[in-house]
Each structure stands twice: as structure tokens, then as C-alpha cells.
Amino acid sequence: MNRNIWDYIGRRVLWALLTVFGITIINFAVIYLVPVNPAQVIAGIHAPHQTVLNIERALGLTQPIWVQYGIFLWHLLHLNLGYSYFAHRPVMQMIGQALPNTMRLGVAALVAELLIGVTVGYIAAFHSPGFLDRFLSIAAIGGMSVPNYWLGTMFIYLFAYRFPIFPLYGQGWANLVLPALTIGITGAAWYMRLLRTEILEIVHANYVRTARAKGVSERRVAIRHVTRNALIPVITLAGMDLAGLLSGVVIIETVFGWPGIGLMTWTAVQNLDIPTIMGVVLVASSLIVLFNLVVDVLYAFLDPRIRYD
Amino acid sequence: MKTQQFSPKAVMGVAGAVMVLALAGCGSTPSSTSQSGRYGGTFTLAYQSDIPTLDPAGSPGFESAQAMYGLYNTLVTYAPTSTTIAPSLAQSWSVTAGGTVYTFHLRTGVKFSNGDPFTAQDVVYNLTRQINPKSASYAQSYYLDIQGAQAYAKGQASSVSGLKALNSHTLQVTLVQPEGYFLNILAMPTSDIADPRIVREYGKAYEDHAVGTGPYKLTEWKHNQVLTETRNPNYWGKKPYFSELKFILGPDPATQFLMFKRGEIDAMGPVPPADMPTINSTPALKKDLVVLADTGSIDFYFMDVRYGPFKNVLVRRALNDAINRKRLVALDAGQAVPANQYLPPGYPGSQSNLPPIPYNPSKARALLSQAGYKPGQLKLTLTVNNDPAVVQQAESVMANLQAIGVTVQLHTMSLSAYITALSGNQVHFGIIQWGLDYPDPSDIFSSLLVGAADGTGNFAWFNNAQVNHLVNEANAMSPQQEATRLKLYDEAQAIALNQQPWIPLIFPANTMLVSSSLHPAPTGANRYMYLGQLGIEANLIWK
Amino acid sequence: MAEKWPQNSNVTTAPAAVGRIDADRSDPSGPSPRRRALRRFLHDPIALVGSGLVFLMLILAVLAPLIAPYSPDKQFARGINALGVPVAPQWHMPGFFLGTDSLGRDLLSRIIWGARVSMEVGLIATAIAVSIGVFLGLLSATTSARWSNILMRFVDVMLAFPFYLFVMLLVSVVGHASTWVVILVLGVLGWPAMVRMVRGKAVLVREEQYVEAAVASGASRARIMLKHLLPNVLPTILVFSSLTISTNIMAESGLSFLGLGVPPPTPSWGSMISEGLQVYQSAPWILIFPGLALALAMLGFNLLADGLNDALRT
């Protein structure tokens, strides 16, 4: 590899770190604009000032904001994200428990999205133009027009209660099906439309015409040339999508009571549990930045035409 | 107690959330327990959030108390189905004539669930821990009337002089002044006795290893998933029926209802009003419904009497007469009582002969015009937290007020933002959902109705010299003078009800579903607050 | 996509959806591209259904006071019984055609007024996001490489934010819930993806001969942005806007579901669905009809985007 690429990668990594750092600063600033005093929330509405002050001291809230941010950074250097104000546990430990759950759900959801999206997209593209293509396109758009929390609740009622195929509540593998399916149905349309567009585009492109001219059968054209080329953007989309899924799906995790990063975020934001919010922000933005970085770097290696400015 | 759809807190603020009305039973074996049935089995419950803490000094609220009930004991507790104090870890006690010195004779032979012996020093340790500012306990102020507590809290003393272990099984507590409700405080979950050795050993991580003297011991706590307690072989009292209590953590009330219908959980509560129509129309569920009217909680709106139109008592009376409280009860699916005073029914000091506050819009309009407001002239902002049930209630009140020509703007905010705004005195017209911490009028009157000077809790800034005097006098009376105390509180309430700094709305009932494969069926006369209590105190047993 | 926040969806899909809008623009033969696009649009059933739905929603929003049978805030005494049970849909007039909600209000009237809130949030938030996005995108395409780089790095930071968390925090910054806060937050956070897309498009156009000629002849930057670049990125903007309107409507309903959306008693589909989700076992109509209204509005804007995309592509 030439020097340019390594230079480029080095700059990208540095930039990724700076991005995460910038995000934590902005987030810290925004937290302090939210008119909630966590110590008062813990103390309750009729606690004397002294009690509130005790709690503020114990939480370190009496210090100036930049000192608090400094402490956050100092702890971070020691791989410590502090203690949750409300869960009374190290945030690191909470993330350690929530992240695997979110990963399981994220991967399952992505699989559902891909299974539905790619299948439907494939069928639609190869029946285009025609009734089936139009029908599937509308159906896919219909899927993305449904609020996911609505769909999730209906799934619980129908497939866990009315027809008890899946468990109502729990953390097992069977519990993954309904939330993954909810995300899958509401998210598959993006894949379906992307794949369909790509396939149609490639079908009209020159090299496919050439392949046909050489007498290769329609089917083999479809499978060999079209699919392989059309899947690349789909995989790119999946990579970025996964980053979003892993950084927590707040509403779906709330609906299903799934103990992942999303539920943790929601609980923390409600009470302004600052260490937990900061921990979640750090993890989530790092994941997004990391996935973008990986995609960019992969491109740099795969496609020499990219300019590294 | 209202459930917050997404909030880990059941009621406003932690302190207000904790309502300790337990059935005693510990040690004293009621004769009704000679029922047929078998020991063993798991009693399964569900909560919509994780248990926030198992540490008595960790600001335990409603959800925490549910799970802590099996793990710990307090020095004293409540006698079955009543509000009278009964022995628990303290077998007997005496109070000096002045009402300031309490001597507790502790039960002998009591062990913590890990086998450690229980002594008077452990009680001193636990109560001192509540006062220590480093513990940052929300309940610190409850214990500051103990002699020397203030000095210790300020770091001027190394121990609390009023807390003394006379010997390993005798404890002496000296108060600065008599306090009519001190024993009630010792029955609160913040007064639970934890094993000091374990607290010291694990420090901040204590609650994952919580050890007390209760009938159950902690065996598993997977946060946000499940918490299991198994029978404590070292328990000093009556052996509990169930060998295991299991708390499923996370499912929201709607899912809990489905789980209950499917038999996956044995009890649930409070039942969301939205599910009441289904229950009322399904005989099998109706049979399992337990409605506990005496829940010791009240929903009311306060009016800042220093603020604009609320300075005028006529306006305050007009707003009170404008509210259709029956409609508010309907919104709770009938599971509430219209409020006509401040003390919940069935509680010490509550007046059973007071008439209801009439729903009288025309009188309200007349009062308003008497106060000088033409229709449409009075504009108010009502602030409430964004719990769906609270918001619905507020929308209904808004319609009532609009009907008498008052324009109301509704501000909704998260519970945490609301608590902060309240404490910052930014709310002049807002809601309080209050659950009594202990069954004594002082918990409402001295927390919310007096003390406008120090600016905490009295959000109406109601400052009536007579009421202040009556309440303070009653607070500082010894518990032996119970009847006189209650009379003073009653006089104070009568004055306040005439001045109307609040709009009392409803006394919400507590509704539970308890599986009919368990018996005996708990009745409305029983005052279980926590589902967690059911398995221990209601003598529930599998059929 | 994981969640229907505008950010997620925009980032990943917009390039795919609008990537090739005017690939054939340089083809000089035949009728004007604009006219061809219109013809394609009018012959595309998907686009027509989409426009029809959008038109219907706009009519409901504008004419709500005339169409709605009752005031949306009127709590009827007969609207609920003593145990709080609302009235089921009644098929006679005058009655509660779609039933009442838990407070005894006419559900049909609230759904009609709800269109107004949804359209307000969808259209205004999108207008804010698109204005900022287009301006910065065009600016970055015409400014020096250095400033352009700084701007795009900032866009990177914005895109790496856990969007839902940021929205929840920002909405809480103004103590109480408010429609305008929701609109502003969605609008102000929605632009970064637009910048990326507009810039990508505009950079290509800028390199075309006639634009370079204009630059060489000393045309001002504003003139180049408005006269040469904007018309060429307009198709991208149209398709993107339509998609963003639907994601913003969905985001508002998601915020309402979490209790952070439009404040009561303002009728909003999101809060109506949230209420419906609590009572659907005994009063399914409170869930079904607002859900249907929301789904139709979303479908309308999504189909419109799809139709625009197809029509403007070749």
C-alpha cells in the first residue's frame, strides 16, 4: 500500500477520536442546560436543603461544571465511567450487562431486515416493471409507515398472548423474535428499495448487456453479475445501520422491556442520571464513529480511485 | 399510589413514595394461620423497573421497599390490619414520662441470614449511618431529632450521643424533644437493620450482597431481569410459607396484566385503570381483584397563596367548587374516593363525618365574580408531571375550570423536571401525589402545610399562625397523648379547609390482582402496601 | 432502520433513493426534462396515490375547524360512564362516529385536528432542516476547500451523535413540553445529512462547463449558488424533503409515546396512539383510528417521495 493510504487512515483515526471527544463535550454542556437536579430527585419533594446538599456533595454536583467534566475524563483514562446516581452501580458494569443484550437484538434485527428486504427487493426487481413489483414496493413502503411501537405492542398481544407462540417477557433467544421482527418489518423497506434500484441500474448497465450478448443465460446473468454488484451498497447500508442498532433502540427496548442500552438510556435521561448518560453517549458515538471508520478504511483499500483529501 | 409509566419511581419523590403500613405478624403467630395448605413453592411478582436499591441508606422508594420487606426487619412494625405499633426486633420498649428517652429491649438469639448475631450495636450502626452526611440518605432529616444527631451530621462529633447500646440487647435512644411519631419512623424501611459487617465489607457494592434478619435472604439479583429471595433458615420468626419470592423486573403494567392472565405471575399491582373494564367484564379476573381503599395517599393541587389571584381566598374556594371529583374517580375506573379533606380515609386523624366538597359550577362562578373576575379574565398555568394518568386528570380539571370562565394553560414535564421545578419554587399551581410515609397526620401536616418559613414541602406557602402553632404543638407531644394530638391536628385541618390552600382531588385506591390458586383472599380491610408483603404477611398459601 | 428518526434514515438511504435523479440530464434531445418528469409523475399510480393522501392530510389540517363535528377539547358528560369506559363508534348521526377517548372527547374531531399538528411538525421542522441543509451544502460546494472541510467535519460530528438521546435531552431543556420545541429540535438537528447530499450533488454540477464559465466570468457566489447550483439539486431536495416530512411526523409520534411530544390537550396522533396502547384491550378504536391516520399520512409522503424519485430519475 502506498504511503498516502496510511496517512489517510492515520488522519481518519485521529479525527474519529476527536469526534468522540467533541460529542462528549457537547453532550455534557447540554446536560447542564436541562433543568433537573438529580440530587433533588433522589431527596424527594419535601427534603430539607441540608439533605439535598448532602446528596449533591456525595454525587460531586457541587463542583463547577468544568471540574466535573475533568473528573469524567480522568476516570475515563482509568476506564472508569463513574457510579450511576440512581442504580448505585458502576456505569461500566451496567453497560457490560446491557451491551450484550443490545448486540443480540441488533444483530437479530439486522438479520430480519436483510432477510425481508433482500428477498422482497430481489423479487420486485426481477418482476419490474409489473404488478408484483408495484405491489411489493407499496407493501414495503407501507411497512415503513407503521409506528414501530404500535407494531411491537400488537405483536406482543397477538403472538405472545392471543396465540402464545413466543414468551411475553424474558431475555431468552425466543424473546428476540418479536422485537427483531418489529424492527425488521419497519426497516426492511430501505434495503428493499436500495437493492431494487441497484439491480435495475446494473441490469441496464453495459457489462450486463455484454454478458448477455455473449450468450450467457438470463438466470446466470442475474445471479452472477447483478447480485454480486448490487449487494455491495446493501452491505454498506447494513454496516451503518448496525452501528445505529447497537447504540440502542430506545422505543423498541422500552416496548419489550428489553434490558439493553436503549432502555438504560431512557431511564437515565428521565432522571438525568449524568454518569449513565455520559457512558451511553460515549459507547454509542464510539460505535457509530468506529463503523464509519471501518467503512471508510475498507473503501480506501478496495477502491484506489478515492481521493484522500 | 400511581404508577409512572416509564419512571422508576412509583409516586412523587422517594420520601413521599414510601408508605409503611405493614402487617406485623412477625413473631406473633396469628391463630388464622392454622389453615390447611402446603409450605413451599415460588411466589412470583413483576415490577416494571429494576429494584432501585436494597440498601436502607440508599434512598429506598416504593419499588425497593417491596423487595426489602423480605430481607430486613425494623425495631418495631405495625400490628395486623391496623396502624398501631407492634414489636419486631425490639421485643418491648419503654418511654420516659417526658417522652424523650426510649429504651428498647431487643429480641435475643436473632441472627442475620448469614449467621452473624444481631446486637444493639448493629442498630446504633444502622441509625448512625442514616444520619452520616456521607451516606447521602434522603431520610437523614427523620433522625435529626435524636440527641447529638445535628452535631454528628455537621461533623462536630464522632458519634451520635443520643444512640446508646446499654448492653448487647438493650438500646437507648434519647430525643431532643418529644416526637409523637418517632416509633413510626423506626418502622420505615429506612430504619431496616442491615448487617454492619457486610456493609463495611462491600461498601458501595453492598446492595448486591444485602444481608438482613428478615424471613428471606437474597439469592440472585440479575439487574433489570430478576431478583430472587429464598427462605432464610436462620429466621427468628414464623417460618414463611413460600420457599422462594421471585420478582420479575422489567415488564410494563400492560404486559404484567397479560402475564397475570396467563398465570405467569401470581400477583400484580397497582392495576392500571385501563385494564379495569376488562377485569370488570371477566368473572375469572373479577374474582382475583383486590381493592384496598385505605391506601394512605391523596392527589391534590396546591395554590401558592402568595401568588397573584391565589392571594384571594374567594378564588381558591371557587376553584375548589368547580371540580367534578366524581368524573376524576371515573377516570380512575372508579378505583378512588372523592377527596373532601387532607387525611386519607381510615387513617389516624381522618374525619369520617365530613361532607363531600360539592360540585357546584354556578357557585364557583359567583365566587369568582365576587372576587372581581369576569368570565375569561382569570388566566392560570397548571403544571403537572407527564405521567399519562396525571395528565388525563389535569385535562379533566382544566375543562372544569374553563367551564367557570377560567383560562388554563397546561404545562407538562418529566417527573424529575417537575420535582426540580417544585423545589425551585417555580410552580404556583401544581399537583402533589402524596403517599403517607407513616400513618400519622404529622406526615402530611408538618411536611406540606406548615413551615413556609424554611421553604421546603409547603408549596402553597400557606402560613397560618394558628395552624403552625397547632401542628407544632401536636408534633411535639408524646405518643401517649394520642387522642389530644389528633384533636389538635383536626383543628388545624378545619382551619386549612376553610382557607383552601389546596384543591384536594381524590384518595386513590390500591388495586391488586392476586391469583385465586392462593388463599386466603386478601381483603380490603388489610393494609398491604407492597405486593412483596403479600407473600410474607398475608399468610397466603397455595391451595 | 433501527428507529424512525430522520437522522438515521437520511444518512443511509437518501443517497440510494435520490442518487441518480438526473443521470440523463445531459441528454439534449426530446422534451424538456421538467416536462418529461411531470408526465412520468402523472402516469405513475404510486405517485398519484401518494399525492392524493398528502393532499387529503393538508385539507384536513387546513379545514379542521370546518370539518370536525365537535370541538376537539369538548369533554362530553356522556362521553364516558361512571367507570371511565368510553363510547364505542356509533354509526348514527349525530353521534360519536369513531367513538370517544378516555376523557369522553369525540375521537373523529381529535383525529381531524391532529392532522394539523402532524402537518405543522412535519412541514415546519422539515423546512428548517432543509433550509439550513441546502444553504450549508451549497456554501460548502462553492467555498474554499479548507472551509468546506471544516464544515464537513462538523457534519461528521453531528451525524455521529446518538440522535435519539440528543433529541430527548434537548426537548427536556425547555422545562415543559411544547410543540415549538419539538419542531425546533427536529428541524435544527435534521440538516447534517442534507448538507452531505446537496454538497455531493452540487460539486458535480459545479464542475460542468457552463458553471465554470460563469465562475470565470466573475459571477458572484450567491448568483452561482442560486442560479446554477440550486436548480440542479432541486430534485434531490424535493425527494429528500418528502421523506423527511414523514420521518419527522413519525419522530413526533415517538416523542409523544415517550411523553416528550406535543403537550396536551393539543390533539396529536402520537399521544392518541399512546393512549390507545394502554386501553386497546377494552377500547380498541382509540388505538386503531389514530394509528390509521398516522400510517396514511406517512404512507402518503413516502409514496410521494418514491414517485418523485422515479419521475425525476430519467
Side-chain angles (χ1 to χ4, degrees), chain A residues 221-292:
Chain A
V221 172
I223 290 163
R224 195 179 263 178
H225 294 279
V226 178
T227 307
R228 196 198 296 153
N229 287 296
L231 276 180
I232 292 174
V234 170
I235 290 168
T236 314
L237 174 59
M240 289 154 91
D241 194 7
L242 191 62
L245 286 169
L246 293 188
S247 55
V249 272
V250 176
I251 291 180
I252 288 299
E253 288 187 5
T254 310
V255 168
F256 287 89
W258 186 258
I261 296 285
L263 197 61
M264 192 175 143
T265 310
W266 175 226
T267 318
V269 169
Q270 276 178 305
N271 290 320
L272 212 71
D273 188 345
I274 299 172
T276 313
I277 295 177
M278 290 308 290
V280 169
V281 163
L282 195 74
V283 169
S285 58
S286 304
L287 277 170
I288 297 171
V289 168
L290 183 74
F291 272 75
N292 284 337

Side-chain angles (χ1 to χ4, degrees), chain B residues 225-266:
Chain B
Q225 296 185 19
V226 69
L227 186 147
T228 316
E229 298 173 8
T230 46
R231 212 186 264 145
N232 169 15
N234 291 322
Y235 184 51
W236 52 272
K238 183 176 74 76
K239 182 181 172 190
Y241 285 117
F242 302 112
S243 49
E244 198 176 64
L245 300 182
K246 190 168 161 192
F247 301 84
I248 296 177
L249 309 172
D252 62 20
T255 309
Q256 285 178 26
F257 185 52
L258 299 179
M259 291 171 86
F260 181 81
K261 288 201 276 184
R262 279 256 299 273
E264 289 176 18
I265 53 176
D266 302 316

Side-chain angles (χ1 to χ4, degrees), chain A residues 107-128:
Chain A
V107 171
L110 188 69
V111 168
E113 281 183 334
L114 282 172
L115 276 181
I116 303 171
V118 169
T119 315
V120 177
Y122 206 86
I123 297 173
F126 283 88
H127 288 85
S128 173

Side-chain angles (χ1 to χ4, degrees), chain B residues 67-226:
Chain B
M68 284 165 68
Y69 201 78
L71 302 180
Y72 296 106
N73 295 121
T74 43
L75 283 187
V76 293
T77 182
Y78 293 93
T81 69
S82 88
T83 55
T84 14
I85 295 287
S88 181
L89 285 176
Q91 212 156 15
S92 64
W93 57 89
S94 58
V95 191
T96 54
T100 52
V101 182
Y102 288 72
T103 310
F104 295 93
H105 303 282
L106 307 185
R107 210 173 283 274
T108 49
V110 173
K111 283 181 178 158
F112 287 99
S113 58
N114 60 357
D116 289 346
F118 162 76
T119 64
Q121 282 85 359
D122 298 338
V123 182
V124 173
Y125 179 89
N126 274 278
L127 297 185
T128 306
R129 196 164 164 248
Q130 288 289 342
I131 301 164
N132 188 340
K134 288 210 180 91
S135 310
S137 168
Y138 82 89
Q140 188 202 39
S141 60
Y142 289 115
Y143 304 93
L144 288 182
D145 280 340
I146 298 174
Q147 202 171 64
Q150 298 273 11
Y152 177 75
K154 286 183 191 132
Q156 294 157 351
S158 59
S159 64
V160 182
S161 59
L163 286 175
K164 273 198 205 107
L166 298 183
N167 60 46
S168 68
H169 286 90
T170 314
L171 175 79
Q172 194 188 66
V173 182
T174 314
L175 302 180
V176 181
Q177 56 170 4
E179 201 172 69
Y181 48 91
F182 184 64
L183 288 175
N184 296 109
I185 286 171
L186 290 184
M188 284 173 55
T190 49
S191 302
D192 279 339
I193 305 299
D195 187 344
R197 287 148 289 259
I198 307 296
V199 175
R200 280 195 215 102
E201 184 179 343
Y202 290 101
K204 272 185 162 179
Y206 163 76
E207 59 181 22
D208 281 317
H209 308 269
V211 170
T213 56
Y216 289 89
K217 59 177 184 177
L218 180 67
T219 39
E220 188 193 30
W221 186 8
K222 274 192 183 159
H223 290 278
N224 290 302
Q225 296 185 19
V226 69

Side-chain angles (χ1 to χ4, degrees), chain A residues 291-306:
Chain A
F291 272 75
N292 284 337
L293 183 68
V294 169
V295 169
D296 283 356
V297 170
L298 276 182
Y299 272 159
F301 275 104
L302 294 179
D303 191 347
R305 284 168 306 175
I306 289 182

Side-chain angles (χ1 to χ4, degrees), chain A residues 35-37 40-51 54-55 58 83 86-89 93 97 101 156-157 160-161 164 166-169 171 254-255 257 259 263 266-267 269-272, chain B residues 6-9 12-15 52-53 58-59 133 136-138 140-142 204 207 223-225 248-251 255 258-259 261-262 264 416-417 419-420 422-423 432 434 447 454 456-457 459:
Chain A
V36 170
N37 178 0
Q40 185 73 55
V41 176
I42 293 172
I45 55 172
H46 77 310
H49 298 308
Q50 190 54 47
T51 309
N54 286 343
I55 299 175
Y83 261 77
F86 291 84
H88 310 277
R89 292 189 291 141
Q93 185 193 336
Q97 282 164 359
N101 286 330
I156 294 177
Y157 181 70
Y161 176 71
F166 299 102
L168 277 167
Y169 181 76
Q171 287 78 36
T254 310
V255 168
L263 197 61
W266 175 226
T267 318
V269 169
Q270 276 178 305
N271 290 320
L272 212 71
Chain B
F6 296 107
S7 162
K9 300 229 160 41
M12 195 147 292
V14 183
T53 185
S59 303
S137 168
Y138 82 89
Q140 188 202 39
S141 60
Y142 289 115
K204 272 185 162 179
E207 59 181 22
H223 290 278
N224 290 302
Q225 296 185 19
I248 296 177
L249 309 172
T255 309
L258 299 179
M259 291 171 86
K261 288 201 276 184
R262 279 256 299 273
E264 289 176 18
S416 56
I419 290 173
T420 307
L422 272 183
S423 312
I432 302 286
W434 189 255
S447 304
D454 63 22
T456 50
F459 301 110

Side-chain angles (χ1 to χ4, degrees), chain A residues 149-211:
Chain A
Y149 56 90
W150 180 85
L151 194 65
T153 310
M154 288 300 97
F155 274 175
I156 294 177
Y157 181 70
L158 286 176
F159 302 117
Y161 176 71
R162 254 298 153 70
F163 309 102
I165 304 167
F166 299 102
L168 277 167
Y169 181 76
Q171 287 78 36
W173 292 100
N175 294 90
L176 275 176
V177 177
L178 292 181
L181 212 57
T182 308
I183 299 174
I185 287 176
T186 51
W190 304 104
Y191 291 92
M192 179 266 167
R193 297 208 295 183
L194 176 61
L195 187 70
R196 178 179 166 274
T197 316
E198 287 294 329
I199 292 178
L200 291 182
E201 207 59 47
I202 295 165
V203 165
H204 295 126
N206 275 341
Y207 61 95
V208 179
R209 279 185 212 145
T210 320

